[in-house]
Amino acid sequence: MTLRLPLPDGSTRAYAPRTEPLALSPAGPLTSRTVFSAAHVVADPYADTSPDSPAAVDWDATLAFRRHLWSHGLGVAEAMDTAQRGMGLDWAGAAELIRRSAAEARAVGGRIACGVGTDQITGGTLPEIRAAYEEQLAVAEESGAQAVLMASRALAAAATGPEDYLDLYGHLLRQAGEPVVLHWLGPMFDPALDGYWGSADLDAATETFLDLVGAHPDKVDGIKISLLDARREVELRRRLPEGVRCYTGDDFHYPELIAGDEQGFSHALLGVFDPLGPLAAEAVRILDTGDVAGFRKTLDPTVALSRHLFRAPTRFYKTGVVFLAWLAGHQEHFTMVGGLQSARSLPHLARAYELADGLGLFPDPARAESRMRSLLTVYGVPQ
């Protein structure tokens, strides 16, 4: 059977879904790269909520999805941007997510890192921002998770220059119990973060960022760069102190950055590895054997889907991620916290389905096709 998929110009075209998925079985840990999937949260579809009310989370489905990622050897990056931090999930919900997921990680032996930010406040002075970071750092460390120091909207608004960033982050790093991951999230993901590290000039911001890492190499496990600029990431990666890792957050160029070159490579902490989890893990296992060409042959074809999901406005990529999780059977509905299931158009979702189906990402293609057909029917697309 075929589906009539809508196109951006208002027309439709026939698409014949594939009938067989890829055969990707759970397996053990990855060895050549440290790879985190930034995982989404599953909303409770029966909760009587509004877009501006606290998130209602389906905890069973949310934790089941994390077990799915761990079963394929991936780490979970919890309470990050993919989990809708600041876009439907408030700090109270994020704190509960961190505690529940960290407990689940201990139970199954999964690796977990958790986002630490300042989203319990909307503004404030530098001391208030530091206190907000400290509160969240304590929750992450008390749960037993590695901390990821996320970029702060409040800090971007309050800082007057690079010195404010160096002072505040330096304070946090000195008190961190274990080495953390420093996360530089670019304005394409969150416009409120424009000018982070004290300058809108990315070259100047990079120097401040490297000054911070260089002053505290024993407290920085790695850096996560989400600027969608492969050249800049490679140049920055080559200047890191020995022992400090680079975790790519570049959802446009990840195969080449993970594969690396004669001077090094990037590990990964990626939102696109939520829908790509099993296939990404399979690719890295090929890389574990030293087969770079086989790794690229496996992972390169996924870039078209990733670029589609993360197209501008990039911050709404979560809608496509949750949509694909529904089609894949990881949740029984296409509902998001904050009502963000409406943040992408039907033609955008239809193209995401087509690209994911072409990659064989759906464990049950017939179920994915049936769910896609039901969505098209709701939208009034004749079949």
Side-chain angles (χ1 to χ4, degrees):
M1 298 179 65
T2 61
L3 289 171
R4 301 296 307 182
L5 298 181
L7 301 174
D9 64 3
S11 64
T12 65
R13 76 175 188 84
Y15 173 72
R18 67 183 291 157
T19 57
E20 296 295 331
L22 292 178
L24 299 173
S25 301
L30 310 177
T31 58
S32 64
R33 303 290 189 273
T34 300
V35 181
F36 290 97
S37 167
H40 73 281
V41 294
V42 182
D44 178 354
Y46 301 119
D48 185 13
T49 60
S50 63
D52 57 356
S53 61
V57 177
D58 181 337
W59 294 111
D60 289 342
T62 293
L63 294 176
F65 186 72
R66 280 133 184 82
R67 292 194 295 273
H68 154 72
L69 295 171
W70 284 318
S71 75
H72 285 275
L74 298 166
V76 168
E78 190 55 276
M80 301 289 292
D81 183 64
T82 309
Q84 295 182 240
R85 291 290 293 270
M87 291 183 68
L89 187 71
D90 61 12
W91 166 237
E96 184 171 4
L97 179 63
I98 288 169
R99 294 185 180 104
R100 285 176 179 259
S101 291
E104 196 73 17
R106 290 194 299 273
V108 303
R111 182 164 185 166
I112 188 168
C114 294
V116 168
T118 64
D119 49 331
Q120 71 271 54
I121 61 175
T122 56
T125 64
L126 291 174
E128 289 169 336
I129 294 166
R130 188 176 77 181
Y133 264 125
E134 290 172 336
E135 177 189 357
Q136 295 202 15
L137 180 61
V139 170
E141 292 192 330
E142 288 166 4
S143 74
Q146 183 179 19
V148 180
L149 293 186
M150 302 170 68
S152 164
R153 293 175 180 172
L155 180 56
T160 59
E163 297 76 14
D164 287 338
Y165 288 90
L166 293 172
D167 180 67
L168 192 149
Y169 273 93
H171 176 86
L172 294 172
L173 289 173
R174 284 189 294 272
Q175 67 174 279
E178 299 292 339
V180 308
V181 176
L182 292 175
H183 186 191
W184 184 358
L185 190 70
M188 66 288 297
F189 289 92
D190 187 343
L193 299 176
D194 192 29
Y196 213 73
W197 304 114
S199 177
D201 180 336
L202 289 181
D203 290 334
T206 295
E207 294 306 316
T208 301
F209 189 57
L210 285 170
D211 285 347
L212 174 67
V213 176
H216 307 275
D218 59 324
K219 287 298 187 76
V220 180
D221 164 68
I223 62 170
K224 172 175 163 27
I225 304 300
S226 299
L227 297 175
L228 303 183
D229 184 336
R231 177 194 60 81
R232 184 173 297 279
E233 178 175 320
V234 170
E235 291 176 354
L236 199 159
R237 181 176 78 194
R238 291 173 178 171
R239 296 177 62 189
L240 290 174
E242 185 176 356
V244 176
R245 312 182 207 204
C246 179
Y247 293 93
T248 186
D250 189 330
D251 300 278
F252 285 2
H253 308 98
Y254 51 92
E256 65 200 71
L257 291 165
I258 296 170
D261 55 30
E262 65 283 354
Q263 297 184 54
F265 56 82
S266 294
H267 300 271
L269 196 165
L270 287 162
V272 77
F273 281 5
D274 179 304
L276 293 181
L279 184 56
E282 178 68 16
V284 176
R285 283 196 180 83
I286 294 171
L287 187 60
D288 289 345
T289 70
D291 184 359
V292 177
F295 165 79
R296 294 295 299 270
K297 182 179 179 181
T298 302
L299 206 57
D300 280 1
T302 69
V303 172
L305 172 61
S306 186
R307 285 178 174 266
H308 179 72
L309 294 176
F310 285 80
R311 65 185 292 184
T314 303
R315 63 188 181 278
F316 294 127
Y317 75 88
K318 296 91 157 171
T319 301
V321 165
V322 175
F323 172 66
L324 295 180
W326 171 55
L327 294 182
H330 295 299
Q331 55 194 78
E332 295 304 312
H333 57 85
F334 178 34
T335 305
M336 296 177 66
V337 299
L340 279 181
Q341 65 270 16
S342 65
R344 290 294 201 187
S345 69
L346 184 62
H348 179 92
L349 297 176
R351 181 60 176 158
Y353 162 73
E354 183 178 2
L355 290 168
D357 183 65
L359 291 169
L361 293 184
F362 302 128
D364 184 344
R367 175 176 55 196
E369 182 261 339
S370 175
R371 290 184 172 184
M372 187 69 219
R373 189 180 299 276
S374 70
L375 184 70
L376 294 170
T377 299
V378 168
Y379 274 84
V381 180
Q383 295 299 304

